[in-house]
Amino acid sequence: MKTHIAPGPPNNSGFTLVEMAIVLAVIGLILGAVMIGKDVQRNAEYTKIKQKFIDQWAVAYNAYYQRMGVPIGDSQTEPQLMVNGQVYIDDNNNDPSGGDMADASVDELCDADSDGLRDYMLRAGIEMPPGRAEGAEDRYVYLDTNGNPQEIQVCFKWNPPETVSGSGNVMVIKGLTPDLARYLDQAVDGKADALEGAFREADVTANNSTGTPGSEWGSNNTYDVDDASATATGAGETLDEDQVAIMTAHYKMNQ
């Protein structure tokens, strides 16, 4: 006598639509968390750049002035009250003893010079930010939005009167991606305006004839580092493997 076993329910190994929807929702949440995490990490890095590098160089500059009585690179015996003031040059007649101050041209004081920024700081006993490494305190390395390395460099210079990016002694900050430049501008001045405040774009142009206030920074993160056609509102063609466009800012010093 044969025994007949009733067939059980079919063995379905696939996912139901509900299960698939749940899996996709979880994947979406994970991807969203990763993207948010990257933004949070980048903002934290930008805050570190401002507080541990840019602000500390401003502190070092002020400490030099307080200790030496003149801006960095200026002569103590014949002070010009200008960064690198002892190499004051008049563009009209190259006579250091006179001329139109508005036509003066004073070189940037950078660490790459033979008697550079670091040498002045060490002679004055000023502690510098750690920067990239010992001997490269004027530089800082970070990752741009494409994950490629970028290097900030700090110099100081004196801008003649009526310089649109800020007259007087300024910190020259090179190697800023557009988003980092705007972040620092917002942090320093309360708004990302390339033309106004203490933090400005180096090659910013003056207000137009209509009197429109302010100006946008002249590039954005869609452009790569070699694209000379960058604009604030344009759309570049940067690839994931490209370095993002970089800009230079002038940060006006108190002294």
Side-chain angles (χ1 to χ4, degrees):
M1 182 177 178
K2 294 182 179 181
T3 303
H4 295 280
I5 301 175
N11 184 16
N12 294 326
S13 59
F15 291 106
T16 66
L17 291 177
V18 173
E19 290 170 333
M20 287 294 293
I22 293 174
V23 170
L24 292 175
V26 171
I27 292 174
L29 290 173
I30 293 173
L31 291 176
V34 170
M35 296 303 296
I36 292 173
K38 287 182 178 180
D39 287 338
V40 170
Q41 182 180 9
R42 184 173 296 113
N43 286 339
E45 176 67 7
Y46 289 176
T47 300
K48 181 180 178 182
I49 290 172
K50 180 182 183 297
Q51 295 179 350
K52 303 296 185 181
F53 186 67
I54 304 298
D55 287 354
Q56 291 305 308
W57 265 113
V59 169
Y61 173 91
N62 290 331
Y64 185 96
Y65 186 91
Q66 293 167 3
R67 189 166 300 181
M68 307 300 287
V70 294
I72 187 167
D74 195 9
S75 171
Q76 290 183 286
T77 57
E78 297 180 358
Q80 300 281 356
L81 298 183
M82 304 184 303
V83 170
N84 237 4
Q86 78 275 23
V87 293
Y88 167 53
I89 300 173
D90 184 277
D91 286 340
N92 290 332
N93 54 24
N94 293 324
D95 180 6
S97 63
D100 184 2
M101 288 286 288
D103 292 333
S105 174
V106 179
D107 294 333
E108 294 179 1
L109 181 61
C110 300
D111 195 39
D113 304 329
S114 57
D115 189 18
L117 179 59
R118 186 172 189 267
D119 296 323
Y120 278 102
M121 288 293 179
L122 290 177
R123 288 198 293 266
I126 304 297
E127 183 177 354
M128 293 172 285
R132 182 170 184 172
E134 185 176 359
E137 293 89 348
D138 64 322
R139 298 170 187 268
Y140 188 97
V141 176
Y142 67 104
L143 297 179
D144 62 26
T145 50
N146 283 351
N148 294 313
Q150 300 277 12
E151 182 180 71
I152 301 172
Q153 181 186 16
V154 162
C155 301
F156 290 92
K157 70 173 296 188
W158 181 82
N159 284 340
E162 300 182 6
T163 301
V164 179
S165 59
S167 60
N169 295 315
V170 299
M171 182 193 303
V172 183
I173 311 171
K174 306 176 182 179
L176 302 175
T177 55
D179 63 319
L180 177 54
R182 292 183 178 92
Y183 176 91
L184 293 173
D185 192 4
Q186 175 74 23
V188 172
D189 293 332
K191 60 178 181 177
D193 190 323
L195 183 63
E196 298 177 349
F199 197 95
R200 304 183 185 184
E201 185 177 352
D203 57 354
V204 66
T205 57
N207 284 333
N208 57 39
S209 58
T210 62
T212 303
S215 177
E216 293 191 60
W217 287 78
S219 184
N220 65 66
N221 281 50
T222 65
Y223 292 95
D224 65 43
V225 72
D226 297 320
D227 195 337
S229 65
T231 62
T233 58
E237 298 180 355
T238 180
L239 304 175
D240 290 343
E241 60 269 23
D242 292 335
Q243 285 184 305
V244 173
I246 54 174
M247 314 180 75
T248 299
H250 285 176
Y251 185 7
K252 184 172 175 59
M253 297 289 95
N254 294 326
Q255 311 291 347

